[in-house]
Amino acid sequence: MTATTTDTERFYAELQENHYSPLWQLMGGLGPEAKTNLVPHIWRYEQARELMMQAGEVVPLEDALRRVLGFRNPGSRPDQRTGATDSLWAALQLVLPGEIAPPHRHTPSALRFIVEGEGAYTVVNGQRVPMEVGDFLLTPALHWHEHGHEGDGPMIWLDGLDSPLISRLNQYIIDEESDFQPVDKPMPAPYVQGMLAKTWGEPHALTQPLVYKLADALEALEYLRDLEGDPYDDIIVEYKNPTTGGPVMTTISAYLQLIRPGVDTKSHRHTHSTVYHVVSGSGYSIVDGQKIEWTKGDTLAIPLWYEHSHHNDTTEDAVLFSYTDRPAITALGLWRERGAA
Ligand code: 1HN
């Protein structure tokens, strides 16, 4: 202690040495609005695909296990495990013909939306699911999964996970396995999707479907297209877990929406974060006052509490796939929404 040390300084030093946190020094950054250092951002498919193809040349799948190129929010540091938003990871994954990404399972829940290619499959807890463009696939927490590709040409999909959230909770656990999974639940996915289950042996209970076909979701949107629609999202459907009636996974909900030609949605903000992926068509969103144009294949992240609206100024339909952390935020009692004034 120097001669200038006052009683006050001595007091704070004593607090620090003995592992106390004076709350009155920590309240500065807080206020009545949720806020994040992360920012809205769009990753263009043209660029992302080109980089993904370079990864195909530079990175052997044997070394990488998963050739996954994450979309990192520009408001985060490169060494952080942050994804596209505070809680959601978004990425492209590339599998080349003949490659197999070996089985593993982890506490983060994962979803995939197939963007391009044909002839690949995933095996999820012993159930083999073929992958087709537009398919929405699930790998809920701790489900074993591996991916293989028996077709020609590159296979590319969008991966969405809650890994930044799980990581923040220090509960990110992963099990690796070198042997492929026995495909011991050969029941093809359509039977499960069709809500039919065999009545003898195991499993006879209805299990959650692991794949949702684009054609089914588009048919639902088509059926709804003449309604007034949601003021903020136009014509939108949620992919549901039919065994619970709830969201597809504990932490993540997912949607397909149609922004009809000429539609301008109203603007709002909410405490969940969203990742949008453009399935077809083009248009733009106004996020935090900024115009962000999008077209097929692009991926747009809108972190929590940024005001946003969607616009289709073309004569073609625009279809967006999206996923959010809304179930997690709701379970924590933190969900809020506010329309623009
Ligand atoms: C993962 O396991 C996969 O298995 C894809 O395909 C993306 C992103 C973060 C953490 C784990 C996969 C992932 C991932």
Side-chain angles (χ1 to χ4, degrees), residues 236 239 253-257 274-277 320-324:
I236 182 163
Y239 293 93
S253 56
Y255 309 84
L256 197 76
Q257 76 192 86
T274 310
V275 174
Y276 293 95
H277 174 81
L320 306 177
F321 167 77
S322 65
Y323 59 98
T324 79

Side-chain angles (χ1 to χ4, degrees), residues 66 68 89 93 104 106 112 145 147 159 161 163 172:
R66 294 293 188 273
V68 170
W89 179 272
Q93 178 162 177
H104 72 191
H106 37 65
R112 308 178 207 291
H145 52 288
H147 318 304
D159 281 314
L161 293 95
S163 48
Y172 195 153

Side-chain angles (χ1 to χ4, degrees), residues 287-306:
V287 188
D288 199 27
Q290 261 191 304
K291 180 175 180 177
I292 303 178
E293 295 191 54
W294 37 256
T295 192
K296 184 176 159 67
D298 295 348
T299 303
L300 168 66
I302 304 186
L304 59 93
W305 213 237
Y306 280 101

Side-chain angles (χ1 to χ4, degrees), residues 49-63:
R49 185 184 192 282
E50 166 58 27
L51 293 170
M52 192 78 261
M53 297 314 284
Q54 285 184 42
E57 286 170 21
V58 173
V59 185
L61 191 57
E62 302 89 79
D63 299 347

